C-alpha cells in the first residue's frame, strides 16, 4: 500500500521548499507541490518538516500551499518506447509536452514517459509452466528496425509463469502472470519502474579488457577507454568538449547511446536533435536516433532538474545494459550538475566545501561513475548474459582551470583523462586533446588486445610515437632559446616527424565524410607510415643523406593525404606508399 502524506509549505527559497506535516513521508519521496502539482523530491527530513528540491520554477509559491507525497521515490519508467525519444530531467517526453502546451511548457505539465496508446508486438520466448528468475528474458518486442527490446522479469521477482501469450499489447497490458514461491500471483506488463538513485542489481562486475572503439585516432590509439570504463573530458569553453561527445555518440561501438545534455546551451541540444535523426548509423544504415535516447536539460531550465537528469540517464542506460547490450552514456556536463548541488547545498545552509561546493561532491560523483562497468546480468545460471555500460562525462571548469573541485574530484574517480587544451583549439587543432597531459589507466590491457587483434607492432609504434611527441616538447624549449638552426639534423628530424604525427595523425576533421571515423586497422596503417618515415629517415641520415633532401621527398604529401583515403582502399594505398617510401629513401643514399 502506497503511503501518502499531506503537508503545507512554510518556506520557499528558490528551488528549495520546506513543508511541515510530512511525518509519514520518507527520504527521496516524490511530492506534488501546490495546486499546480510541481514535481519535487524530499532531500532532508527533520521531524515532520521536509526539505524538498523542486524540479520546476517556484516563482509565486508561498506559505500555506499544499504539498502531497506520492509515497514512492523518484523513479523512471522502463519499457518499449524509450529509444528515439527526448525526455527532460525527470523523464517527461518533451515532444508530448510541446503538443500539450506549445513552445513554453506550463508548470506542472505532466505526461507519462511511455506512450500508453501505442501497440507493440510481443513475442513470448517462455511458456506457461516455466520457472523463471529475476532478470530472465521472457519475451521480445521489436522496438525499432535495429533495436530488439528484451522484456525481462523484474529484479525483485521470480517464480513460475502461470500465463503468457504472444500478441499485440499496450505497455500497460498484462503480458504474463507469475506465481512466486509463496503462491502469490504478480501481473507482468511491458513497463518496469526503478528508483533513479539506486543502481540496478547484477550478478558480478567483470574487469574491462577490450577498448571501446570510437574511430577517433587520438582516443583509440593514444588514450583508449575500455568497454565498461569511465572517462572525463575537461576543457575550457570553445575547446571542443561537445563536439567530442557528439562524435563518441555517433561513432562509438555501442548498441545503445544515452546522451544527457545537463545544463547545456539550447543551441547545442538543438544540434543534437537536428543531426541525430539525419545521421546514418554506419553499422546499420538507419538513422542514429534508432538506437539513441536523449535527456535534455538546457541551461534555462530550473537548476535543480539538472541533478535528476544525470540519475534518470544512467538508470535508463543500466536497463539496456541488463538486456545484454553495450551502452554508452554521455553526460555533458557534470560541472553544471555540480552547480545544482552547490545551489541546493547553499540553500540548505550546509557547511560548504571548497569553492562553495558541498563536502559530499566527491562521493556523489563516485556514486554516478561507479554505476558504469561490464557485468554478468541477472538471469538463469549458465546463461552468462554480459552487459556493458561505459560512462563518459564532460567537465567545464571555469577558464579551463583543472584545479577546480569538480575536475579534481572527477580525476580521482575516472580511469581516462582527455585533457582539452585551449592553445590547441586556438591553433585549430581538433580534437584538442593534449597528448602530454592526458592519460588512460586502461592502456596496458588495451595494448595487449591491440597487439593480439590488430598487429603485434601496434603498442611498439604507439610508444615510439609518444616518446617522439615528448621529445618534441623538450626540443621546442631549446628552439625558443637558441633557434632551430642550432639543432642537429637528428633533432630537426624529430621535430619534423612529431609535426607529421600531430598534423597527419592526431588532427582529425569531425566534419569530413572520410576523416570523421577511422577504423583501428587504418589507424595502425597511418601510424605505421608516419613512424616508418621517421625510422627510414634516421637510417638515411646515418648513411650521409642530406636532411633538406629528406624533407622534399614526395612521400610526405602522401602521408598527409592518408587520412582522406576511404576505408576500402586503405590496404592497397598503404602497400603502394610503403614501397614508395623505401624507394625514395634508398635513392638518397645511392
Amino acid at each position: 500500500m502506497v503511503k501518502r502524506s499531506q503537508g503545507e509549505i512554510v518556506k520557499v527559497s528558490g528551488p528549495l521548499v520546506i513543508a511541515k506535516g510530512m511525518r509519514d513521508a520518507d527520504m527521496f519521496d516524490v511530492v506534488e507541490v501546490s495546486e499546480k502539482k510541481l514535481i519535487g523530491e524530499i532531500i532532508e527530513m527533520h521531524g515532520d518538516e521536509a526539505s524538498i528540491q523542486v524540479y520546476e520554477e517556484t516563482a509565486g509559491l508561498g506559505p500555506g500551499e499544499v504539498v502531497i507525497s506520492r509515497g514512492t521515490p523518484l523513479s523512471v519508467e522502463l519499457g518499449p518506447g524509450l529509444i528515439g525519444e527526448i525526455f527532460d530531467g525527470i523523464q517527461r517526453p518533451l515532444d508530448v509536452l510541446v503538443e500539450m502546451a506549445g513552445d513554453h511548457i506550463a508548470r506542472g505539465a505532466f505526461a507519462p514517459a511511455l506512450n500508453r496508446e501505442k501497440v507493440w508486438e510481443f513475442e513470448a520466448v517462455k511458456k506457461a509452466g516455466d520457472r523463471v528468475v529475476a532478470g530472465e528474458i521472457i519475451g521480445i518486442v521489436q522496438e525499432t528496425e535495429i533495436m530488439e527490446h528484451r522484456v525481462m522479469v523484474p529484479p525483485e521477482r521470480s517464480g513460475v509463469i502461470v500465463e503468457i501469450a504472444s500478441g499485440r499489447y499496450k505497455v500497460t497490458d498484462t503480458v504474463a502472470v507469475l506465481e512466486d514461491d509463496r503462491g502469490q500471483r504478480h501481473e507482468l506488463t511491458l513497463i518496469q519502474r526503478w528508483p533513479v538513485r539506486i543502481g540496478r542489481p547484477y550478478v558480478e562486475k567483470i574487469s574491462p579488457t577490450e577498448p571501446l572503439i570510437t574511430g577517433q585516432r587520438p582516443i583509440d590509439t593514444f588514450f583508449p577507454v575500455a568497454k565498461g570504463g569511465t572517462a572525463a573530458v575537461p576543457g575550457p569553453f570553445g575547446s571542443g568538449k561537445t563536439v567530442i561527445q557528439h562524435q563518441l555518440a555517433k561513432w562509438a561501438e555501442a548498441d545503445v547511446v544515452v546522451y544527457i545534455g545537463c545544463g547545456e546551451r539550447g543551441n547545442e541540444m538543438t544540434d543534437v536533435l537536428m543531426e541525430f535523426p539525419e545521421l546514418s548509423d554506419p553499422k546499420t544504415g538507419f538513422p542514429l536516433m534508432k538506437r539513441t535516447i536523449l535527456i535534455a536539460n538546457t541551461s534555462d531550465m530550473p537548476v535543480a532538474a539538472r541533478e535528476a537528469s544525470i540519475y534518470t540517464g544512467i538508470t535508463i542506460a543500466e536497463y539496456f545494459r541488463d538486456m545484454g547490450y553495450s551502452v554508452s552514456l554521455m553526460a555533458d556536463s557534470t560541472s553544471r550538475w555540480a552547480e545544482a548541488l552547490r545551489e541546493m547545498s547553499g540553500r540548505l545552509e550546509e557547511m560548504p566545501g571548497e569553492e562553495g561546493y558541498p563536502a559530499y561532491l566527491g562521493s556523489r560523483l563516485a556514486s554516478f561513475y561507479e554505476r558504469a562497468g561490464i557485468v554478468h546480468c541477472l538471469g538463469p545460471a549458465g546463461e552468462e548474459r554480459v552487459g556493458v555500460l561505459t560512462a563518459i562525462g564532460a567537465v567545464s571548469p571555469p577558464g579551463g582551470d583543472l584545479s577546480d573541485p569538480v575536475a579534481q574530484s572527477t580525476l580521482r574517480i575516472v580511469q581516462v583523462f582527455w585533457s582539452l587544451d585551449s592553445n590547441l583549439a586556438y591553433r585549430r587543432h581538433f580534437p584538442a586533446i593534449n597528448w602530454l597531459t592526458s592519460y588512460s589507466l586502461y592502456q596496458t590491457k588495451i595494448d595487449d588486445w591491440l597487439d593480439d587483434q590488430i598487429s603485434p607492432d601496434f603498442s611498439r609504434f604507439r610508444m615510439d610515437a609518444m616518446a617522439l611527441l615528448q621529445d618534441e616538447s623538450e626540443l621546442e624549449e631549446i628552439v625558443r632559446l637558441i633557434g632551430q638552426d642550432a639543432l642537429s639534423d637528428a633533432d630537426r628530424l624529430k621535430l619534423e616527424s612529431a609535426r607529421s604525427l600531430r598534423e597527419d595523425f592526431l588532427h582529425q576533421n569531425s566534419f569530413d565524410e572520410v576523416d570523421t571515423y577511422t577504423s583501428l586497422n587504418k589507424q595502425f596503417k597511418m601510424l605505421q607510415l608516419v613512424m616508418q618515415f621517421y625510422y627510414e629517415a634516421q637510417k638515411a641520415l646515418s648513411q650521409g643523406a642530406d636532411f633538406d633532401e629528406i624533407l622534399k621527398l614526395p612521400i610526405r604529401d602522401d602521408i598527409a593525404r592518408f587520412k582522406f583515403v576511404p576505408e576500402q582502399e586503405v590496404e592497397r594505398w598503404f602497400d603502394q606508399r610503403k614501397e614508395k617510401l623505401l624507394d625514395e629513401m634508398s635513392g638518397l643514399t645511392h
Side-chain angles (χ1 to χ4, degrees), residues 294-308:
L294 298 177
I295 313 290
N297 181 265
T298 56
S299 51
D300 61 343
M301 290 180 175
V303 170
R306 296 178 189 177
E307 208 216 341

Side-chain angles (χ1 to χ4, degrees), residues 52-334:
I52 299 162
Q53 178 169 255
V54 181
Y55 293 127
E56 300 185 70
E57 179 57 58
T58 58
L61 292 186
E65 295 194 58
V66 69
V67 174
I68 300 174
S69 163
R70 290 184 182 173
T72 56
L74 184 64
S75 304
V76 289
E77 288 187 353
L78 304 166
L82 290 171
I83 298 287
E85 282 296 323
I86 174 167
F87 301 102
D88 73 354
I90 49 177
Q91 212 201 7
R92 296 181 300 182
L94 290 178
D95 56 343
V96 176
L97 295 188
V98 166
E99 284 177 18
M100 289 167 53
D103 291 345
H104 298 284
I105 296 169
R107 288 193 294 169
F110 173 77
L114 299 178
N115 188 327
R116 297 297 196 260
E117 301 304 316
K118 188 166 182 176
V119 176
W120 299 95
E121 195 72 44
F122 173 76
E123 180 188 339
V125 298
K126 297 290 180 183
K127 61 184 185 301
D130 286 349
R131 172 166 283 280
V132 292
V133 297
E136 191 163 352
I137 295 168
I138 59 170
I140 301 296
V141 171
Q142 195 65 40
E143 187 168 350
T144 69
E145 292 90 336
I146 58 174
M147 276 302 303
E148 180 183 85
H149 194 106
R150 296 159 188 170
V151 181
M152 300 171 287
V153 178
E156 69 280 5
R157 299 269 180 257
S158 63
V160 176
I161 294 177
V162 180
E163 298 173 24
I164 189 169
S166 299
R168 292 167 61 77
Y169 296 96
K170 296 178 181 178
V171 289
T172 50
D173 293 339
T174 301
V175 297
V177 177
L178 188 71
E179 186 175 288
D180 64 22
D181 295 337
R182 292 175 297 177
Q184 292 183 333
R185 293 195 170 194
H186 306 276
E187 294 183 346
L188 304 184
T189 66
L190 295 178
I191 291 183
Q192 291 187 24
R193 289 180 177 81
W194 191 262
V196 298
R197 294 182 184 273
I198 301 172
R200 284 177 62 87
Y202 49 82
V203 177
E204 65 172 342
K205 268 196 175 172
I206 307 166
S207 179
T209 55
E210 292 185 22
L212 179 75
I213 300 167
T214 66
Q216 311 307 300
R217 294 189 293 272
I219 292 173
D220 290 347
T221 298
F222 287 98
F223 310 108
V225 60
K227 279 185 178 178
T230 53
V233 196
F237 175 79
S239 60
K241 290 186 300 296
T242 302
V243 173
I244 284 182
Q245 292 265 33
H246 288 193
Q247 283 295 95
L248 295 176
K250 294 171 197 173
W251 299 108
E253 191 184 39
D255 301 310
V256 181
V257 174
V258 179
Y259 188 95
I260 307 169
C262 179
E264 278 300 277
R265 290 180 293 279
N267 62 321
E268 291 180 352
M269 281 311 299
T270 304
D271 284 346
V272 177
L273 288 173
M274 300 297 284
E275 274 188 36
F276 279 27
E278 294 177 5
L279 274 171
S280 177
D281 186 337
K283 290 188 286 190
T284 63
F286 287 99
L288 197 62
M289 280 300 287
K290 298 290 184 183
R291 61 180 180 94
T292 303
I293 300 156
L294 298 177
I295 313 290
N297 181 265
T298 56
S299 51
D300 61 343
M301 290 180 175
V303 170
R306 296 178 189 177
E307 208 216 341
S309 64
I310 290 282
Y311 293 110
T312 296
I314 202 155
T315 306
I316 292 171
E318 285 177 329
Y319 176 63
F320 283 97
R321 174 208 69 189
D322 290 347
M323 295 182 198
Y325 286 124
S326 174
V327 186
S328 285
L329 177 126
M330 315 291 163
D332 189 8
S333 94
T334 54

Side-chain angles (χ1 to χ4, degrees), residues 22-41:
M22 305 290 289
R23 187 174 299 278
D24 293 333
D26 292 322
M27 278 285 286
F28 301 122
D29 274 3
V30 175
V31 297
E32 296 171 358
V33 180
S34 83
E35 292 179 356
K36 296 184 176 70
K37 295 188 175 181
L38 308 185
I39 301 297
E41 182 184 20

Side-chain angles (χ1 to χ4, degrees), residues 446-503:
I446 289 175
D447 274 350
D448 293 341
W449 188 91
L450 292 170
D451 286 349
D452 182 55
Q453 299 290 325
I454 306 300
S455 167
D457 293 323
F458 205 122
S459 61
R460 178 173 66 88
F461 284 137
R462 182 195 64 76
M463 287 188 281
D464 285 355
M466 184 55 75
L468 200 56
L469 290 166
Q470 287 168 342
D471 286 347
E472 179 199 33
S473 176
E474 293 168 10
L475 289 170
E476 279 179 341
E477 293 294 322
I478 297 170
V479 168
R480 287 191 194 100
L481 291 171
I482 57 176
Q484 191 161 336
D485 293 340
L487 296 180
S488 66
D489 284 348
D491 284 343
R492 290 172 68 196
L493 175 62
K494 281 184 180 179
L495 286 178
E496 279 300 320
S497 300
R499 186 174 69 83
S500 178
L501 267 174
R502 287 189 285 104
E503 295 179 2

